[in-house]
PDB file of all heavy atoms in Angstrom:
ATOM      1  N   ARG A   1       0.853  -1.202   0.000  1.00 46.00           N
ATOM      2  CA  ARG A   1       0.000   0.000   0.000  1.00 46.00           C
ATOM      3  C   ARG A   1       0.883   1.243   0.000  1.00 46.00           C
ATOM      4  O   ARG A   1       1.803   1.365   0.794  1.00 46.00           O
ATOM      5  CB  ARG A   1      -0.897  -0.012   1.228  1.00 46.00           C
ATOM      6  CG  ARG A   1      -1.914   1.108   1.219  1.00 46.00           C
ATOM      7  CD  ARG A   1      -2.948   0.841   2.295  1.00 46.00           C
ATOM      8  NE  ARG A   1      -3.807   1.967   2.477  1.00 46.00           N
ATOM      9  CZ  ARG A   1      -4.921   2.172   1.787  1.00 46.00           C
ATOM     10  NH1 ARG A   1      -5.286   1.306   0.891  1.00 46.00           N
ATOM     11  NH2 ARG A   1      -5.658   3.234   2.011  1.00 46.00           N
ATOM     12  N   LEU A   2       0.581   2.176  -0.889  1.00 47.00           N
ATOM     13  CA  LEU A   2       1.321   3.426  -0.952  1.00 47.00           C
ATOM     14  C   LEU A   2       0.879   4.352   0.173  1.00 47.00           C
ATOM     15  O   LEU A   2      -0.128   4.117   0.832  1.00 47.00           O
ATOM     16  CB  LEU A   2       1.092   4.098  -2.309  1.00 47.00           C
ATOM     17  CG  LEU A   2       1.602   3.313  -3.524  1.00 47.00           C
ATOM     18  CD1 LEU A   2       1.154   3.998  -4.800  1.00 47.00           C
ATOM     19  CD2 LEU A   2       3.098   3.176  -3.491  1.00 47.00           C
ATOM     20  N   ILE A   3       1.614   5.419   0.368  1.00 52.00           N
ATOM     21  CA  ILE A   3       1.307   6.373   1.437  1.00 52.00           C
ATOM     22  C   ILE A   3      -0.118   6.890   1.329  1.00 52.00           C
ATOM     23  O   ILE A   3      -0.847   6.951   2.302  1.00 52.00           O
ATOM     24  CB  ILE A   3       2.306   7.555   1.408  1.00 52.00           C
ATOM     25  CG1 ILE A   3       3.692   7.073   1.754  1.00 52.00           C
ATOM     26  CG2 ILE A   3       1.886   8.647   2.366  1.00 52.00           C
ATOM     27  CD1 ILE A   3       4.764   8.113   1.553  1.00 52.00           C
ATOM     28  N   THR A   4      -0.557   7.242   0.146  1.00 48.00           N
ATOM     29  CA  THR A   4      -1.852   7.904   0.011  1.00 48.00           C
ATOM     30  C   THR A   4      -2.932   7.026  -0.579  1.00 48.00           C
ATOM     31  O   THR A   4      -4.060   7.463  -0.691  1.00 48.00           O
ATOM     32  CB  THR A   4      -1.719   9.155  -0.869  1.00 48.00           C
ATOM     33  OG1 THR A   4      -1.259   8.754  -2.149  1.00 48.00           O
ATOM     34  CG2 THR A   4      -0.788  10.160  -0.253  1.00 48.00           C
ATOM     35  N   GLY A   5      -2.644   5.828  -0.973  1.00 55.00           N
ATOM     36  CA  GLY A   5      -3.686   5.000  -1.561  1.00 55.00           C
ATOM     37  C   GLY A   5      -3.143   3.742  -2.183  1.00 55.00           C
ATOM     38  O   GLY A   5      -2.063   3.276  -1.837  1.00 55.00           O
ATOM     39  N   ASP A   6      -3.889   3.214  -3.115  1.00 63.00           N
ATOM     40  CA  ASP A   6      -3.548   1.927  -3.692  1.00 63.00           C
ATOM     41  C   ASP A   6      -2.844   2.004  -5.033  1.00 63.00           C
ATOM     42  O   ASP A   6      -2.407   0.992  -5.544  1.00 63.00           O
ATOM     43  CB  ASP A   6      -4.821   1.089  -3.857  1.00 63.00           C
ATOM     44  CG  ASP A   6      -5.416   0.724  -2.513  1.00 63.00           C
ATOM     45  OD1 ASP A   6      -4.663   0.492  -1.567  1.00 63.00           O
ATOM     46  OD2 ASP A   6      -6.653   0.673  -2.442  1.00 63.00           O
ATOM     47  N   THR A   7      -2.764   3.161  -5.643  1.00 73.00           N
ATOM     48  CA  THR A   7      -2.209   3.246  -6.986  1.00 73.00           C
ATOM     49  C   THR A   7      -1.106   4.294  -7.064  1.00 73.00           C
ATOM     50  O   THR A   7      -1.047   5.213  -6.250  1.00 73.00           O
ATOM     51  CB  THR A   7      -3.299   3.633  -8.006  1.00 73.00           C
ATOM     52  OG1 THR A   7      -3.718   4.968  -7.751  1.00 73.00           O
ATOM     53  CG2 THR A   7      -4.504   2.700  -7.925  1.00 73.00           C
ATOM     54  N   PRO A   8      -0.246   4.165  -8.057  1.00 73.00           N
ATOM     55  CA  PRO A   8       0.759   5.211  -8.268  1.00 73.00           C
ATOM     56  C   PRO A   8       0.134   6.580  -8.543  1.00 73.00           C
ATOM     57  O   PRO A   8       0.721   7.602  -8.215  1.00 73.00           O
ATOM     58  CB  PRO A   8       1.547   4.703  -9.478  1.00 73.00           C
ATOM     59  CG  PRO A   8       1.372   3.227  -9.449  1.00 73.00           C
ATOM     60  CD  PRO A   8      -0.025   3.005  -8.920  1.00 73.00           C
ATOM     61  N   ALA A   9      -1.079   6.610  -9.115  1.00 76.00           N
ATOM     62  CA  ALA A   9      -1.740   7.896  -9.366  1.00 76.00           C
ATOM     63  C   ALA A   9      -2.033   8.603  -8.052  1.00 76.00           C
ATOM     64  O   ALA A   9      -1.930   9.830  -7.966  1.00 76.00           O
ATOM     65  CB  ALA A   9      -3.032   7.681 -10.156  1.00 76.00           C
ATOM     66  N   ASP A  10      -2.406   7.844  -7.002  1.00 80.00           N
ATOM     67  CA  ASP A  10      -2.646   8.442  -5.692  1.00 80.00           C
ATOM     68  C   ASP A  10      -1.376   9.101  -5.177  1.00 80.00           C
ATOM     69  O   ASP A  10      -1.409  10.218  -4.670  1.00 80.00           O
ATOM     70  CB  ASP A  10      -3.116   7.390  -4.682  1.00 80.00           C
ATOM     71  CG  ASP A  10      -4.465   6.802  -5.026  1.00 80.00           C
ATOM     72  OD1 ASP A  10      -5.259   7.477  -5.707  1.00 80.00           O
ATOM     73  OD2 ASP A  10      -4.723   5.656  -4.603  1.00 80.00           O
ATOM     74  N   ALA A  11      -0.256   8.409  -5.292  1.00 85.00           N
ATOM     75  CA  ALA A  11       1.017   8.963  -4.841  1.00 85.00           C
ATOM     76  C   ALA A  11       1.404  10.166  -5.688  1.00 85.00           C
ATOM     77  O   ALA A  11       1.950  11.140  -5.183  1.00 85.00           O
ATOM     78  CB  ALA A  11       2.109   7.900  -4.897  1.00 85.00           C
ATOM     79  N   GLY A  12       1.104  10.136  -6.967  1.00 89.00           N
ATOM     80  CA  GLY A  12       1.405  11.259  -7.848  1.00 89.00           C
ATOM     81  C   GLY A  12       0.608  12.500  -7.478  1.00 89.00           C
ATOM     82  O   GLY A  12       1.138  13.612  -7.477  1.00 89.00           O
ATOM     83  N   ARG A  13      -0.680  12.311  -7.141  1.00 90.00           N
ATOM     84  CA  ARG A  13      -1.497  13.455  -6.719  1.00 90.00           C
ATOM     85  C   ARG A  13      -0.957  14.033  -5.420  1.00 90.00           C
ATOM     86  O   ARG A  13      -0.874  15.249  -5.255  1.00 90.00           O
ATOM     87  CB  ARG A  13      -2.962  13.030  -6.546  1.00 90.00           C
ATOM     88  CG  ARG A  13      -3.689  12.815  -7.852  1.00 90.00           C
ATOM     89  CD  ARG A  13      -5.183  12.679  -7.657  1.00 90.00           C
ATOM     90  NE  ARG A  13      -5.557  11.627  -6.727  1.00 90.00           N
ATOM     91  CZ  ARG A  13      -5.786  10.363  -7.051  1.00 90.00           C
ATOM     92  NH1 ARG A  13      -5.671   9.979  -8.303  1.00 90.00           N
ATOM     93  NH2 ARG A  13      -6.138   9.496  -6.126  1.00 90.00           N
ATOM     94  N   TYR A  14      -0.581  13.163  -4.476  1.00 90.00           N
ATOM     95  CA  TYR A  14      -0.031  13.613  -3.199  1.00 90.00           C
ATOM     96  C   TYR A  14       1.251  14.408  -3.434  1.00 90.00           C
ATOM     97  O   TYR A  14       1.437  15.487  -2.870  1.00 90.00           O
ATOM     98  CB  TYR A  14       0.252  12.405  -2.303  1.00 90.00           C
ATOM     99  CG  TYR A  14       0.735  12.762  -0.935  1.00 90.00           C
ATOM    100  CD1 TYR A  14      -0.159  13.096   0.071  1.00 90.00           C
ATOM    101  CD2 TYR A  14       2.097  12.775  -0.627  1.00 90.00           C
ATOM    102  CE1 TYR A  14       0.276  13.430   1.346  1.00 90.00           C
ATOM    103  CE2 TYR A  14       2.545  13.117   0.634  1.00 90.00           C
ATOM    104  CZ  TYR A  14       1.628  13.436   1.616  1.00 90.00           C
ATOM    105  OH  TYR A  14       2.061  13.774   2.868  1.00 90.00           O
ATOM    106  N   LEU A  15       2.116  13.899  -4.280  1.00 93.00           N
ATOM    107  CA  LEU A  15       3.383  14.567  -4.585  1.00 93.00           C
ATOM    108  C   LEU A  15       3.139  15.914  -5.262  1.00 93.00           C
ATOM    109  O   LEU A  15       3.767  16.913  -4.903  1.00 93.00           O
ATOM    110  CB  LEU A  15       4.251  13.668  -5.464  1.00 93.00           C
ATOM    111  CG  LEU A  15       5.618  14.212  -5.833  1.00 93.00           C
ATOM    112  CD1 LEU A  15       6.483  14.391  -4.593  1.00 93.00           C
ATOM    113  CD2 LEU A  15       6.298  13.271  -6.816  1.00 93.00           C
ATOM    114  N   LEU A  16       2.220  15.960  -6.215  1.00 94.00           N
ATOM    115  CA  LEU A  16       1.954  17.207  -6.932  1.00 94.00           C
ATOM    116  C   LEU A  16       1.412  18.283  -5.998  1.00 94.00           C
ATOM    117  O   LEU A  16       1.866  19.432  -6.032  1.00 94.00           O
ATOM    118  CB  LEU A  16       0.976  16.961  -8.086  1.00 94.00           C
ATOM    119  CG  LEU A  16       0.656  18.175  -8.945  1.00 94.00           C
ATOM    120  CD1 LEU A  16       1.916  18.731  -9.603  1.00 94.00           C
ATOM    121  CD2 LEU A  16      -0.367  17.814  -9.999  1.00 94.00           C
ATOM    122  N   VAL A  17       0.458  17.931  -5.149  1.00 94.00           N
ATOM    123  CA  VAL A  17      -0.087  18.908  -4.206  1.00 94.00           C
ATOM    124  C   VAL A  17       1.000  19.333  -3.222  1.00 94.00           C
ATOM    125  O   VAL A  17       1.149  20.523  -2.924  1.00 94.00           O
ATOM    126  CB  VAL A  17      -1.325  18.351  -3.464  1.00 94.00           C
ATOM    127  CG1 VAL A  17      -1.755  19.287  -2.345  1.00 94.00           C
ATOM    128  CG2 VAL A  17      -2.473  18.135  -4.435  1.00 94.00           C
ATOM    129  N   GLY A  18       1.783  18.381  -2.729  1.00 92.00           N
ATOM    130  CA  GLY A  18       2.848  18.702  -1.785  1.00 92.00           C
ATOM    131  C   GLY A  18       3.897  19.630  -2.373  1.00 92.00           C
ATOM    132  O   GLY A  18       4.309  20.612  -1.738  1.00 92.00           O
ATOM    133  N   VAL A  19       4.324  19.353  -3.593  1.00 96.00           N
ATOM    134  CA  VAL A  19       5.334  20.189  -4.253  1.00 96.00           C
ATOM    135  C   VAL A  19       4.764  21.576  -4.541  1.00 96.00           C
ATOM    136  O   VAL A  19       5.455  22.592  -4.361  1.00 96.00           O
ATOM    137  CB  VAL A  19       5.841  19.503  -5.542  1.00 96.00           C
ATOM    138  CG1 VAL A  19       6.628  20.463  -6.420  1.00 96.00           C
ATOM    139  CG2 VAL A  19       6.689  18.291  -5.194  1.00 96.00           C
ATOM    140  N   THR A  20       3.512  21.644  -4.969  1.00 96.00           N
ATOM    141  CA  THR A  20       2.880  22.935  -5.239  1.00 96.00           C
ATOM    142  C   THR A  20       2.794  23.774  -3.966  1.00 96.00           C
ATOM    143  O   THR A  20       3.109  24.973  -3.972  1.00 96.00           O
ATOM    144  CB  THR A  20       1.480  22.734  -5.849  1.00 96.00           C
ATOM    145  OG1 THR A  20       1.613  21.974  -7.054  1.00 96.00           O
ATOM    146  CG2 THR A  20       0.806  24.057  -6.138  1.00 96.00           C
ATOM    147  N   CYS A  21       2.368  23.149  -2.869  1.00 94.00           N
ATOM    148  CA  CYS A  21       2.259  23.870  -1.599  1.00 94.00           C
ATOM    149  C   CYS A  21       3.635  24.288  -1.075  1.00 94.00           C
ATOM    150  O   CYS A  21       3.792  25.396  -0.557  1.00 94.00           O
ATOM    151  CB  CYS A  21       1.533  23.014  -0.565  1.00 94.00           C
ATOM    152  SG  CYS A  21      -0.210  22.770  -0.956  1.00 94.00           S
ATOM    153  N   ALA A  22       4.624  23.423  -1.218  1.00 94.00           N
ATOM    154  CA  ALA A  22       5.981  23.774  -0.791  1.00 94.00           C
ATOM    155  C   ALA A  22       6.510  24.938  -1.622  1.00 94.00           C
ATOM    156  O   ALA A  22       7.159  25.849  -1.093  1.00 94.00           O
ATOM    157  CB  ALA A  22       6.905  22.562  -0.915  1.00 94.00           C
ATOM    158  N   GLY A  23       6.220  24.925  -2.917  1.00 96.00           N
ATOM    159  CA  GLY A  23       6.648  26.033  -3.778  1.00 96.00           C
ATOM    160  C   GLY A  23       5.981  27.350  -3.388  1.00 96.00           C
ATOM    161  O   GLY A  23       6.639  28.390  -3.320  1.00 96.00           O
ATOM    162  N   ALA A  24       4.676  27.294  -3.116  1.00 96.00           N
ATOM    163  CA  ALA A  24       3.963  28.503  -2.686  1.00 96.00           C
ATOM    164  C   ALA A  24       4.505  28.998  -1.350  1.00 96.00           C
ATOM    165  O   ALA A  24       4.678  30.203  -1.134  1.00 96.00           O
ATOM    166  CB  ALA A  24       2.470  28.219  -2.587  1.00 96.00           C
ATOM    167  N   ASN A  25       4.775  28.068  -0.463  1.00 93.00           N
ATOM    168  CA  ASN A  25       5.333  28.407   0.846  1.00 93.00           C
ATOM    169  C   ASN A  25       6.682  29.107   0.685  1.00 93.00           C
ATOM    170  O   ASN A  25       6.924  30.162   1.279  1.00 93.00           O
ATOM    171  CB  ASN A  25       5.477  27.128   1.671  1.00 93.00           C
ATOM    172  CG  ASN A  25       5.826  27.397   3.103  1.00 93.00           C
ATOM    173  OD1 ASN A  25       5.230  28.239   3.743  1.00 93.00           O
ATOM    174  ND2 ASN A  25       6.794  26.663   3.614  1.00 93.00           N
ATOM    175  N   ASN A  26       7.558  28.538  -0.120  1.00 93.00           N
ATOM    176  CA  ASN A  26       8.881  29.135  -0.345  1.00 93.00           C
ATOM    177  C   ASN A  26       8.778  30.477  -1.057  1.00 93.00           C
ATOM    178  O   ASN A  26       9.532  31.399  -0.751  1.00 93.00           O
ATOM    179  CB  ASN A  26       9.774  28.181  -1.127  1.00 93.00           C
ATOM    180  CG  ASN A  26      10.319  27.079  -0.257  1.00 93.00           C
ATOM    181  OD1 ASN A  26      10.425  27.223   0.956  1.00 93.00           O
ATOM    182  ND2 ASN A  26      10.650  25.961  -0.868  1.00 93.00           N
ATOM    183  N   LEU A  27       7.850  30.587  -1.995  1.00 96.00           N
ATOM    184  CA  LEU A  27       7.655  31.858  -2.700  1.00 96.00           C
ATOM    185  C   LEU A  27       7.267  32.952  -1.713  1.00 96.00           C
ATOM    186  O   LEU A  27       7.814  34.063  -1.763  1.00 96.00           O
ATOM    187  CB  LEU A  27       6.579  31.695  -3.770  1.00 96.00           C
ATOM    188  CG  LEU A  27       6.284  32.912  -4.619  1.00 96.00           C
ATOM    189  CD1 LEU A  27       7.475  33.247  -5.512  1.00 96.00           C
ATOM    190  CD2 LEU A  27       5.051  32.672  -5.469  1.00 96.00           C
ATOM    191  N   LEU A  28       6.352  32.639  -0.802  1.00 94.00           N
ATOM    192  CA  LEU A  28       5.943  33.634   0.192  1.00 94.00           C
ATOM    193  C   LEU A  28       7.069  33.950   1.175  1.00 94.00           C
ATOM    194  O   LEU A  28       7.288  35.113   1.519  1.00 94.00           O
ATOM    195  CB  LEU A  28       4.712  33.148   0.951  1.00 94.00           C
ATOM    196  CG  LEU A  28       3.405  33.188   0.167  1.00 94.00           C
ATOM    197  CD1 LEU A  28       2.314  32.421   0.900  1.00 94.00           C
ATOM    198  CD2 LEU A  28       2.984  34.619  -0.071  1.00 94.00           C
ATOM    199  N   LEU A  29       7.779  32.932   1.625  1.00 90.00           N
ATOM    200  CA  LEU A  29       8.870  33.170   2.585  1.00 90.00           C
ATOM    201  C   LEU A  29      10.026  33.935   1.962  1.00 90.00           C
ATOM    202  O   LEU A  29      10.468  34.956   2.487  1.00 90.00           O
ATOM    203  CB  LEU A  29       9.379  31.835   3.147  1.00 90.00           C
ATOM    204  CG  LEU A  29       8.485  31.112   4.139  1.00 90.00           C
ATOM    205  CD1 LEU A  29       9.049  29.743   4.451  1.00 90.00           C
ATOM    206  CD2 LEU A  29       8.321  31.922   5.404  1.00 90.00           C
ATOM    207  N   ILE A  30      10.507  33.455   0.842  1.00 92.00           N
ATOM    208  CA  ILE A  30      11.668  34.071   0.200  1.00 92.00           C
ATOM    209  C   ILE A  30      11.290  35.406  -0.438  1.00 92.00           C
ATOM    210  O   ILE A  30      12.011  36.399  -0.312  1.00 92.00           O
ATOM    211  CB  ILE A  30      12.294  33.107  -0.824  1.00 92.00           C
ATOM    212  CG1 ILE A  30      12.831  31.859  -0.093  1.00 92.00           C
ATOM    213  CG2 ILE A  30      13.396  33.785  -1.621  1.00 92.00           C
ATOM    214  CD1 ILE A  30      13.182  30.701  -1.003  1.00 92.00           C
ATOM    215  N   GLY A  31      10.131  35.430  -1.106  1.00 96.00           N
ATOM    216  CA  GLY A  31       9.685  36.674  -1.724  1.00 96.00           C
ATOM    217  C   GLY A  31       9.386  37.753  -0.698  1.00 96.00           C
ATOM    218  O   GLY A  31       9.721  38.922  -0.893  1.00 96.00           O
ATOM    219  N   GLY A  32       8.761  37.345   0.398  1.00 95.00           N
ATOM    220  CA  GLY A  32       8.474  38.303   1.464  1.00 95.00           C
ATOM    221  C   GLY A  32       9.735  38.858   2.090  1.00 95.00           C
ATOM    222  O   GLY A  32       9.842  40.059   2.358  1.00 95.00           O
ATOM    223  N   ALA A  33      10.709  37.977   2.318  1.00 91.00           N
ATOM    224  CA  ALA A  33      11.983  38.429   2.891  1.00 91.00           C
ATOM    225  C   ALA A  33      12.704  39.364   1.921  1.00 91.00           C
ATOM    226  O   ALA A  33      13.278  40.378   2.328  1.00 91.00           O
ATOM    227  CB  ALA A  33      12.860  37.227   3.228  1.00 91.00           C
ATOM    228  N   ALA A  34      12.653  39.036   0.618  1.00 95.00           N
ATOM    229  CA  ALA A  34      13.288  39.899  -0.386  1.00 95.00           C
ATOM    230  C   ALA A  34      12.595  41.261  -0.466  1.00 95.00           C
ATOM    231  O   ALA A  34      13.230  42.266  -0.777  1.00 95.00           O
ATOM    232  CB  ALA A  34      13.266  39.217  -1.749  1.00 95.00           C
ATOM    233  N   ALA A  35      11.294  41.281  -0.150  1.00 97.00           N
ATOM    234  CA  ALA A  35      10.547  42.538  -0.162  1.00 97.00           C
ATOM    235  C   ALA A  35      10.731  43.327   1.125  1.00 97.00           C
ATOM    236  O   ALA A  35      10.194  44.420   1.269  1.00 97.00           O
ATOM    237  CB  ALA A  35       9.061  42.254  -0.386  1.00 97.00           C
ATOM    238  N   GLY A  36      11.497  42.767   2.062  1.00 96.00           N
ATOM    239  CA  GLY A  36      11.794  43.484   3.293  1.00 96.00           C
ATOM    240  C   GLY A  36      10.884  43.156   4.466  1.00 96.00           C
ATOM    241  O   GLY A  36      10.969  43.793   5.514  1.00 96.00           O
ATOM    242  N   LEU A  37      10.012  42.147   4.309  1.00 95.00           N
ATOM    243  CA  LEU A  37       9.149  41.758   5.416  1.00 95.00           C
ATOM    244  C   LEU A  37       9.923  40.925   6.434  1.00 95.00           C
ATOM    245  O   LEU A  37      10.830  40.172   6.066  1.00 95.00           O
ATOM    246  CB  LEU A  37       7.958  40.940   4.906  1.00 95.00           C
ATOM    247  CG  LEU A  37       6.989  41.650   3.972  1.00 95.00           C
ATOM    248  CD1 LEU A  37       5.942  40.675   3.455  1.00 95.00           C
ATOM    249  CD2 LEU A  37       6.331  42.829   4.669  1.00 95.00           C
ATOM    250  N   HIS A  38       9.569  41.049   7.686  1.00 91.00           N
ATOM    251  CA  HIS A  38      10.190  40.241   8.743  1.00 91.00           C
ATOM    252  C   HIS A  38       9.752  38.797   8.551  1.00 91.00           C
ATOM    253  O   HIS A  38       8.648  38.523   8.073  1.00 91.00           O
ATOM    254  CB  HIS A  38       9.760  40.760  10.121  1.00 91.00           C
ATOM    255  CG  HIS A  38      10.575  40.203  11.233  1.00 91.00           C
ATOM    256  ND1 HIS A  38      10.219  39.048  11.883  1.00 91.00           N
ATOM    257  CD2 HIS A  38      11.734  40.626  11.792  1.00 91.00           C
ATOM    258  CE1 HIS A  38      11.117  38.781  12.824  1.00 91.00           C
ATOM    259  NE2 HIS A  38      12.050  39.739  12.781  1.00 91.00           N
ATOM    260  N   TYR A  39      10.624  37.857   8.933  1.00 88.00           N
ATOM    261  CA  TYR A  39      10.308  36.454   8.693  1.00 88.00           C
ATOM    262  C   TYR A  39       9.054  35.995   9.433  1.00 88.00           C
ATOM    263  O   TYR A  39       8.354  35.087   8.970  1.00 88.00           O
ATOM    264  CB  TYR A  39      11.493  35.539   8.991  1.00 88.00           C
ATOM    265  CG  TYR A  39      11.920  35.487  10.436  1.00 88.00           C
ATOM    266  CD1 TYR A  39      11.312  34.611  11.331  1.00 88.00           C
ATOM    267  CD2 TYR A  39      12.951  36.289  10.906  1.00 88.00           C
ATOM    268  CE1 TYR A  39      11.711  34.552  12.648  1.00 88.00           C
ATOM    269  CE2 TYR A  39      13.357  36.237  12.225  1.00 88.00           C
ATOM    270  CZ  TYR A  39      12.733  35.361  13.089  1.00 88.00           C
ATOM    271  OH  TYR A  39      13.140  35.297  14.394  1.00 88.00           O
ATOM    272  N   THR A  40       8.714  36.606  10.552  1.00 90.00           N
ATOM    273  CA  THR A  40       7.495  36.199  11.255  1.00 90.00           C
ATOM    274  C   THR A  40       6.243  36.592  10.445  1.00 90.00           C
ATOM    275  O   THR A  40       5.257  35.854  10.436  1.00 90.00           O
ATOM    276  CB  THR A  40       7.424  36.811  12.672  1.00 90.00           C
ATOM    277  OG1 THR A  40       7.552  38.224  12.580  1.00 90.00           O
ATOM    278  CG2 THR A  40       8.491  36.251  13.566  1.00 90.00           C
ATOM    279  N   VAL A  41       6.303  37.716   9.759  1.00 94.00           N
ATOM    280  CA  VAL A  41       5.190  38.123   8.896  1.00 94.00           C
ATOM    281  C   VAL A  41       5.084  37.155   7.718  1.00 94.00           C
ATOM    282  O   VAL A  41       3.983  36.735   7.337  1.00 94.00           O
ATOM    283  CB  VAL A  41       5.375  39.574   8.400  1.00 94.00           C
ATOM    284  CG1 VAL A  41       4.317  39.947   7.369  1.00 94.00           C
ATOM    285  CG2 VAL A  41       5.368  40.538   9.573  1.00 94.00           C
ATOM    286  N   CYS A  42       6.214  36.766   7.162  1.00 92.00           N
ATOM    287  CA  CYS A  42       6.229  35.823   6.041  1.00 92.00           C
ATOM    288  C   CYS A  42       5.653  34.470   6.457  1.00 92.00           C
ATOM    289  O   CYS A  42       4.876  33.859   5.711  1.00 92.00           O
ATOM    290  CB  CYS A  42       7.642  35.648   5.500  1.00 92.00           C
ATOM    291  SG  CYS A  42       8.356  37.156   4.833  1.00 92.00           S
ATOM    292  N   ILE A  43       6.006  34.014   7.641  1.00 91.00           N
ATOM    293  CA  ILE A  43       5.473  32.747   8.138  1.00 91.00           C
ATOM    294  C   ILE A  43       3.972  32.854   8.343  1.00 91.00           C
ATOM    295  O   ILE A  43       3.213  31.941   7.986  1.00 91.00           O
ATOM    296  CB  ILE A  43       6.200  32.322   9.429  1.00 91.00           C
ATOM    297  CG1 ILE A  43       7.647  31.944   9.114  1.00 91.00           C
ATOM    298  CG2 ILE A  43       5.468  31.162  10.115  1.00 91.00           C
ATOM    299  CD1 ILE A  43       8.535  31.769  10.332  1.00 91.00           C
TER     300      ILE A  43
END
């Protein structure tokens, strides 16, 4: 059994959502810091 279900497609959906969310998270953290925001505001 895979982490998220019974098929490789389930794992692929989990990976895609995870990578997308991690990218958005990094964009906000790094972009916010580059714009001069304090890291607590970025978080």
